[in-house]
């Protein structure tokens, strides 16, 4: 089985020093590629370095809405330089956020920074990975205004309504699903998933965030504390001896330890969950989502190619 992690943050300071091990474990599990998304000027060099060091990593550069206030006056020039020196890169993470954290950030600034990056993605003929929280109306308006996007647009961790799916599809959007879908009401998730054309579905881990809401025993876990052993698997590959609650693996997800981070290999859990809702086999969903990812991430200079 081949899988493609369409959106993650392996450069995140919480897991950066563990990234080599996370990548090798994920590769062993059948994950072939990782689209690693930068979030601000401060981490683009780390993303670039990771892309240079790992053939499996697709570097993505962008300013995430939460980091809009910290951008420098030269941020856009710097961003364009990163794309010039890194032809294998895609755009991301960019977007709009009116959630609890996003509300603290001037929305007009968010729109301005988002539009600039979306226009750049279109000009460079690269896909863009888009974050959207409670701003789907604004997003659709902008996407229709700047689009269509023949080179693709990835609505990552999509949790929007089923009703909006066809409009986004018309603009060239793909939809990637992460562990964040698990707390969603099954009926709502089901309706949304079944509205997405199969040829537009991707899977992602969003690691180190979006730890799936599942029993510990079925998860790959990453401990936050750097003084502890690098990885804790509840799969029996490594013992979970440093998890104080390790003897209790039957607890429900609501009591997942807060000090645990998501591992890219948990994309297998997302695969199982989504395949189950779609009522198709996980092998079939793996094949479809992998092909879709290759199609979306095949652009001039990319590390992956169709065929
Ligand atoms: Zn993200």
């Amino acid at each position: 089985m081949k899988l493609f992690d369409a959106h993650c943050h392996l450069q995140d300071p919480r897991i950066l020093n563990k990234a080599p091990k996370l990548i090798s474990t994920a590769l062993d599990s059948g994950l072939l590629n990782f689209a690693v998304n930068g979030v601000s000027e401060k981490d683009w060099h780390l993303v670039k370095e990771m892309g240079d060091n790992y053939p499996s990593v697709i570097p993505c550069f962008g300013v995430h809405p939460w980091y809009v206030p910290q951008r420098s006056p030269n941020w856009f020039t710097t961003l364009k330089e990163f794309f010039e020196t890194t032809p294998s890169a895609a755009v991301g993470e960019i977007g709009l956020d009116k959630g609890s954290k996003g509300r603290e950030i001037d929305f007009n600034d968010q729109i301005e920074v988002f539009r600039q990056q979306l226009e750049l993605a279109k000009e460079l003929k690269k896909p863009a990975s888009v974050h959207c929280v409670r701003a789907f109306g604004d997003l659709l308006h902008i996407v229709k205004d700047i689009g269509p996007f023949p080179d693709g647009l990835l609505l990552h961790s999509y949790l929007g309504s089923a009703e909006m799916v066809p409009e986004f599809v018309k603009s060239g959007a793909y939809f990637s699903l992460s562990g964040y879908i698990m707390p969603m009401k099954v009926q709502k998730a089901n309706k949304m998933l079944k509205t997405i054309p199969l040829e537009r579905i991707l899977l992602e881990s969003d690691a180190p965030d979006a730890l799936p809401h599942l029993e510990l025993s079925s998860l790959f876990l990453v401990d936050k504390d750097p003084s502890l052993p690098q990885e804790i698997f509840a799969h029996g590959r490594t013992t979970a001896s440093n998890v104080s609650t390790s003897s209790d693996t039957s607890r429900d997800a609501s009591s997942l330890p807060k000090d645990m981070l998501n591992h890219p290999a948990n994309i297998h859990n997302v695969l199982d969950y989504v395949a189950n809702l779609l009522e198709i086999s996980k092998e079939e969903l793996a094949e479809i989502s992998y092909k879709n990812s290759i199609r979306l991430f095949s652009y001039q200079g990319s590390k992956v190619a169709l065929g």
Side-chain angles (χ1 to χ4, degrees):
M1 192 187 287
K2 293 192 280 188
L3 288 170
F4 191 122
D5 188 348
H7 183 104
C8 59
H9 303 278
L10 304 181
Q11 88 291 359
D12 187 291
R14 292 169 291 170
I15 55 166
L16 180 62
N17 63 349
K18 298 168 185 173
K21 184 77 173 88
L22 299 186
I23 291 172
S24 76
T25 304
L27 288 171
D28 287 346
S29 82
L31 201 44
L32 268 66
N33 290 98
F34 312 83
V36 173
N37 281 246
V39 294
S40 81
E41 285 163 274
K42 290 199 184 101
D43 70 7
W44 295 341
H45 69 285
L46 295 173
V47 171
K48 180 173 169 54
E49 206 178 304
M50 215 171 255
D52 290 344
N53 292 339
Y54 296 95
S56 55
V57 166
I58 292 152
C60 307
F61 306 121
V63 176
H64 183 289
W66 295 354
Y67 300 93
V68 162
Q70 284 107 292
R71 73 197 187 285
S72 77
N74 291 325
W75 74 274
F76 196 58
T77 310
T78 309
L79 181 63
K80 286 193 281 189
E81 283 166 4
F82 267 90
F83 285 115
E84 271 162 34
T85 58
T86 322
S88 63
V91 178
E93 180 172 356
I94 65 175
L96 299 172
D97 195 318
K98 282 181 173 171
S100 52
K101 205 159 170 178
R103 268 200 301 272
E104 293 164 16
I105 293 148
D106 185 281
F107 198 62
N108 288 328
D109 286 352
Q110 288 193 40
I111 287 180
E112 188 190 315
V113 169
F114 175 58
R115 287 190 72 111
Q116 264 181 286
Q117 298 181 97
L118 201 54
E119 279 166 6
L120 181 65
K122 185 164 171 154
E123 184 191 317
L124 296 175
K125 300 188 189 305
K126 291 177 182 293
S129 198
V130 175
H131 162 113
C132 185
V133 175
R134 296 174 187 268
F136 282 98
D138 302 278
L139 176 66
L140 185 59
H141 179 79
I142 294 171
V143 162
K144 278 183 170 171
D145 188 34
I146 300 177
F149 298 90
D151 303 290
L153 195 65
L154 180 62
L155 303 186
H156 108 84
S157 281
Y158 186 71
L159 296 173
S161 69
E163 287 72 22
M164 291 183 111
V165 167
E167 291 286 335
F168 283 120
V169 167
K170 265 190 247 164
S171 297
Y174 286 70
F175 303 79
S176 76
L177 304 157
S178 69
Y180 286 124
I181 196 175
M182 294 180 187
M184 204 173 169
K185 284 212 174 75
V186 169
Q187 204 184 358
K188 195 180 171 211
N190 214 358
K191 187 176 168 207
M192 182 264 277
L193 280 177
K194 288 185 173 162
T195 318
I196 304 175
L198 276 179
E199 69 276 10
R200 298 292 180 95
I201 289 186
L202 276 68
L203 301 173
E204 62 168 84
S205 69
D206 206 11
D209 298 313
L211 182 65
H213 279 229
L214 294 168
E215 289 174 7
L216 276 180
S217 58
S218 58
L219 292 171
F220 288 80
L221 295 170
V222 188
D223 202 285
K224 260 183 202 169
D225 186 342
S227 66
L228 292 172
Q230 289 207 330
E231 291 183 37
I232 301 154
F233 305 130
H235 277 297
R237 296 165 203 231
T238 316
T239 56
S241 58
N242 56 347
V243 183
S244 57
T245 53
S246 64
S247 59
D248 183 10
T249 51
S250 60
R251 298 167 313 142
D252 70 34
S254 60
S255 57
L256 274 177
K258 295 230 179 329
D259 58 347
M260 289 297 163
L261 294 168
N262 193 13
H263 190 299
N266 287 322
I267 196 163
H268 288 278
N269 300 93
V270 180
L271 170 73
D272 290 354
Y273 191 85
V274 174
N276 192 30
L277 285 182
L278 284 172
E279 297 170 87
I280 60 176
S281 71
K282 62 180 184 179
E283 288 76 15
E284 195 181 348
L285 180 60
E287 193 182 333
I288 291 168
S289 61
Y290 182 78
K291 272 189 192 159
N292 293 343
S293 305
I294 295 292
R295 190 181 328 113
L296 179 65
F297 286 96
S298 295
Y299 41 82
Q300 191 156 20
S302 170
K303 291 179 173 183
V304 299
L306 288 171

